[in-house]
């Protein structure tokens, strides 16, 4: 594509001019052609403008997978506003932090999540209005029941307006921010990644190329639109002429029937999903579909062949992050199976020591990345200039991941340098979990760290030091966390200790805790039969 359409409105307009009636997107009862998507973008931009939103202002989206999510997202992109998708598992302090940090003036929320607003302090956020996306579901023409949001927010809450008179697209540049996507905090709060228009377009183009997507493909995802993976799928479809189908959520029992029902040819899985699907046991529906390939980062190498034998589906391994792009991939038949893969065209990579000096093949170091094309990576962290400078120092993005590159250019993941945890495809900030634990009256100190799970990803473990004279009840602590954390961040393993291992300057030595791991004294939530409610 020439440089000028490398914005979302530019790409929509360019594609609509060529193939206006080509199917593009389906979710729930909604199904849009490319021209319809362009029309909705212009109309919802008009509604946002009529509500006083302007270019550069932030609009938070707190919703599961539904067509209104993409309506608001595209409306923001057309207007030049910035969409701020929020994980639907966020609760209390974390939700308030995202709203406050982004400075969102408007929140578009799903009815089922309205009650979570009652825990947000109005004085701590810039929020002026709340739109209920699915308000019309209560009764045709009726005002939405907003009482669950609490008296303050109920007074500012209305049904999301229908598309207004279309407005002209904003005069945008490829480097203008289209979305702020929050990724896990490591030694501090979660960071809002500023994703420019050109980055999301590049994500779609590179991923479509690696998956071999053609205009005849149906791309079906059960992953959430508030993460870059599913959002990326929309731009794969838009750039290639394929069609994206978005399902509400992942289900082991429904996965294969869902793929068959939609005639899906390309799927999307995360590392833990493949062991879960294989654990179900072989069934006829594993072959009754058209799926040929699935993007599946983080799957244990030993499971690739087994999955293909049972299902006929090839798994594409690779590496990317919210800040970067699809930079490393192990395409089938290219000799990189069992690793993250090899560097892809358009990118540069370096394995470096603590001083950013490149290390020779075979030595482990931090993975540093660059993009050749302008704005193919994120531009920084919202409102965090110091963290941006640190992550992009010396003009390389520092991933915080420790890898080894062999003499043939294949990359192998070793571990994370950063203090983050990845569980069931979700990034968890140990810092944020620790802050919730430290607010408990019985806890004097807490250290949260990952331990390996049977599903090839991380489980959350915590070492706790009780306050003098206090006792820690594990079940009560889980219930305490359940109302303050996303379900996936509630610790599974708990150790009560006399003190935490520390360095000479008082920092907790989490490497010691990780090496110690689960022991005889560890309380296991799952073994104890304590279930954490999966709230939406």
């Amino acid at each position: 594509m020439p440089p000028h359409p490398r914005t979302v409105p530019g790409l929509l307009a360019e594609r609509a001019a060529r193939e206006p009636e080509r199917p593009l997107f389906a979710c729930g009862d909604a199904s849009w052609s490319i021209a319809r998507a362009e029309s909705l973008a212009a109309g919802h931009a008009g509604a946002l403008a009529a509500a006083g939103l302007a270019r550069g202002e932030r609009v938070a989206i707190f919703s599961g997978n539904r067509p209104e999510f993409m309506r608001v997202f595209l409306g923001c992109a057309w207007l030049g506003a910035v969409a701020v998708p929020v994980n639907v598992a966020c609760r209390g302090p974390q939700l308030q932090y995202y709203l406050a940090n982004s400075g969102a003036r408007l929140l578009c929320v799903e009815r089922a999540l309205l009650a979570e607003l009652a825990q947000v302090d109005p004085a701590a956020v810039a929020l002026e209005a709340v739109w209920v996306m699915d308000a019309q579901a209560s009764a045709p023409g009726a005002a939405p029941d907003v009482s669950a949001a609490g008296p303050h927010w109920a007074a500012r809450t209305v049904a999301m307006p229908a598309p207004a008179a279309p407005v002209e697209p904003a005069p945008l540049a490829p480097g203008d921010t289209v979305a702020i996507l929050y990724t896990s905090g490591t030694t501090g709060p979660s960071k809002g990644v500023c994703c420019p228009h050109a980055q999301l377009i590049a994500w779609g183009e590179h991923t479509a190329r690696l998956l071999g997507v053609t205009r005849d493909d149906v791309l079906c995802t059960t992953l959430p639109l508030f993460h870059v993976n599913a959002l990326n799928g929309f731009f794969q479809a838009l750039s290639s002429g394929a069609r994206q189908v978005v399902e509400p959520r992942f289900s082991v029992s429904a996965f294969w029937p869902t793929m068959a029902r939609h005639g899906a040819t390309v799927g999307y899985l995360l590392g833990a999903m493949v062991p879960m699907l294989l654990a179900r046991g072989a069934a006829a529906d594993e072959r009754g579909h058209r799926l040929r390939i699935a993007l599946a980062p983080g799957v244990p190498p030993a499971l690739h062949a087994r999955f293909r034998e049972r299902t006929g589906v090839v798994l594409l391994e690779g590496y990317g992050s919210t800040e970067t792009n699809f930079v490393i991939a192990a395409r089938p038949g290219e000799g990189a199976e069992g690793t993250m893969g090899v560097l892809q065209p358009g990118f540069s990579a370096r394995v470096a020591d603590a001083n950013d000096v490149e290390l020779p093949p075979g030595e482990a170091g931090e993975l540093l990345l660059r993009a050749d094309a302008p704005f193919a990576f994120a531009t920084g962290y919202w409102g965090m200039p110091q963290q941006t400078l640190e992550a992009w120092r010396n003009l390389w993005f520092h991933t915080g991941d420790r890898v080894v590159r062999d003499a043939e250019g294949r990359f192998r993941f070793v571990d994370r340098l950063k203090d983050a945890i990845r569980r069931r495809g979700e990034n968890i900030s140990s810092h944020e979990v620790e802050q919730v634990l430290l607010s408990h009256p019985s806890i004097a100190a807490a250290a949260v760290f990952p331990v390996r799970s049977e599903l090839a990803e991380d489980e959350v473990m915590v070492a706790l030091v009780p306050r003098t004279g206090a006792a820690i009840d594990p079940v009560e602590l889980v219930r305490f966390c359940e109302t303050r954390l996303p379900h996936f961040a509630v610790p599974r393993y708990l150790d009560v200790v006399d003190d935490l291992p520390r360095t000479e300057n008082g920092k907790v030595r989490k490497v010691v805790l990780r090496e110690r791991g689960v022991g005889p004294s560890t309380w296991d939530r799952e073994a104890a039969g304590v279930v954490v409610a999966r709230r939406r």
Side-chain angles (χ1 to χ4, degrees):
M1 292 177 56
H4 65 274
R6 299 195 75 80
T7 65
V8 175
L11 181 58
L12 272 172
E14 192 260 354
R15 293 287 292 115
R18 284 195 289 154
E19 296 184 290
E21 299 310 314
R22 186 158 189 84
L24 170 65
F25 176 82
C27 181
D29 295 332
S31 184
W32 309 337
S33 66
I34 299 174
R36 177 61 174 159
E38 182 190 32
S39 172
L40 288 169
H44 281 287
L48 291 167
L53 273 296
R55 178 174 173 175
E57 293 186 312
R58 278 77 62 205
V59 176
I61 307 174
F62 192 29
S63 167
N65 286 359
R66 52 186 314 116
E68 294 90 346
F69 184 108
M70 286 306 301
R71 286 172 178 249
V72 175
F73 185 93
L74 294 176
C76 287
W78 193 270
L79 184 66
V82 179
V84 184
V86 177
N87 191 318
V88 296
C90 286
R91 296 292 179 266
Q94 193 175 33
L95 174 60
Q96 180 171 298
Y97 168 75
Y98 289 162
L99 295 173
N101 179 260
S102 66
R105 288 183 55 207
L106 170 67
L107 171 67
C108 298
V109 61
E110 191 176 347
R111 270 193 312 154
L113 295 168
L114 261 179
E116 304 309 325
L117 269 180
Q119 301 181 58
V120 173
D121 179 4
V125 298
L127 213 57
E128 298 171 5
V130 179
W131 288 357
V132 183
M133 291 176 158
D134 48 341
Q136 69 282 359
S138 53
D145 179 6
V146 297
S147 58
H152 178 86
W153 295 115
R156 306 186 189 192
T157 302
V158 298
M160 187 172 89
V167 297
E168 290 296 314
L172 299 167
D176 288 337
T177 302
V178 66
I180 297 173
L181 300 178
Y182 280 87
T183 189
S184 172
T186 56
T187 56
S190 297
K191 298 185 286 291
V193 180
C194 297
C195 298
H197 286 251
Q199 183 198 12
L200 293 188
I201 292 172
W203 257 112
E205 292 171 346
H206 285 290
T207 309
R209 175 181 61 82
L210 289 164
L211 288 168
V213 173
T214 73
R215 57 190 287 106
D216 298 321
D217 277 313
V218 177
L219 321 179
C220 185
T221 186
T222 62
L223 300 175
L225 286 166
F226 52 74
H227 279 177
V228 74
N229 191 307
L231 205 53
N232 173 14
F234 179 84
F235 290 96
Q236 293 170 43
L238 185 59
S239 64
S240 66
R243 178 171 179 258
Q244 185 191 35
V245 178
V246 176
E247 280 287 301
R249 63 187 60 85
F250 172 73
S251 163
V252 172
S253 60
F255 182 80
W256 296 114
T258 296
M259 297 299 115
R261 184 172 75 254
H262 293 302
T265 55
V266 179
Y268 302 84
L269 295 164
L270 297 175
M273 294 178 177
V274 169
M276 292 166 70
L277 288 169
L278 291 173
R280 187 187 68 147
D285 59 11
E286 292 180 342
R287 286 281 182 172
H289 56 82
R290 298 177 55 218
L291 211 63
R292 71 169 191 279
I293 192 169
L295 178 62
V299 174
L303 298 185
H304 278 245
R306 183 179 166 199
F307 192 80
R308 186 172 187 174
E309 289 168 5
R310 269 184 47 175
T311 68
V313 179
V314 172
L315 299 179
L316 177 63
E317 179 62 84
Y319 181 92
S321 67
T322 309
E323 296 94 334
T324 60
N325 216 291
F326 201 160
V327 295
I328 294 170
R331 297 184 68 181
E334 294 185 349
E337 290 85 350
T339 69
M340 294 195 315
V342 298
L343 187 67
Q344 295 301 299
F347 305 103
S348 300
R350 173 181 290 177
V351 180
D353 66 12
N355 296 309
D356 292 353
V357 175
E358 188 164 15
L359 296 169
E363 286 195 31
E366 184 175 10
L367 177 64
L368 313 186
L369 297 169
R370 273 182 182 167
D372 296 346
F375 304 112
F377 280 10
T379 54
Y381 297 122
W382 177 260
M384 295 183 173
Q386 188 58 45
Q387 289 88 337
T388 298
L389 286 171
E390 178 64 19
W392 274 266
R393 67 182 183 274
N394 291 323
L395 303 182
W396 289 89
F397 177 71
H398 292 64
T399 67
D401 288 322
R402 190 163 169 257
V403 304
V404 171
R405 178 170 51 189
D406 65 21
E408 285 73 40
R410 296 169 297 205
F411 289 83
R412 180 173 59 84
F413 181 81
V414 178
D415 57 21
R416 291 181 178 86
L417 297 175
K418 298 178 181 179
D419 189 12
I421 302 168
R422 187 167 179 82
R423 181 177 185 271
R424 308 290 171 86
E426 299 283 356
N427 288 322
I428 299 168
S429 166
S430 61
H431 171 83
E432 290 175 352
V433 179
E434 286 165 356
Q435 295 312 299
V436 168
L437 291 167
L438 290 172
S439 70
H440 191 280
S442 297
I443 296 173
V448 173
F449 52 98
V451 292
R452 298 300 287 174
S453 79
E454 59 271 26
L455 293 175
E457 290 193 343
D458 297 333
E459 289 285 0
V460 182
M461 184 167 178
V462 57
L464 299 170
V465 179
R467 292 186 182 274
T468 303
I472 296 174
D473 179 347
V475 176
E476 187 275 332
L477 185 61
V478 167
R479 298 303 174 220
F480 178 86
C481 292
E482 191 177 33
T483 60
R484 294 165 172 82
L485 289 169
H487 63 88
F488 54 79
V490 176
R492 172 179 173 179
Y493 296 111
L494 186 155
D495 258 344
V496 178
V497 296
D498 294 329
D499 201 1
L500 299 173
R502 297 180 183 272
T503 64
E504 293 78 4
N505 61 3
K507 292 184 178 180
V508 176
R509 299 181 62 208
K510 291 194 178 179
V511 64
V512 174
L513 297 172
R514 287 194 294 268
E515 290 173 353
R516 186 186 301 166
V518 177
S521 64
T522 303
W523 181 81
D524 180 357
R525 169 167 55 82
E526 292 192 5
V530 178
V531 178
V532 174
R534 189 182 181 94
R535 299 168 63 200
R536 296 189 61 246

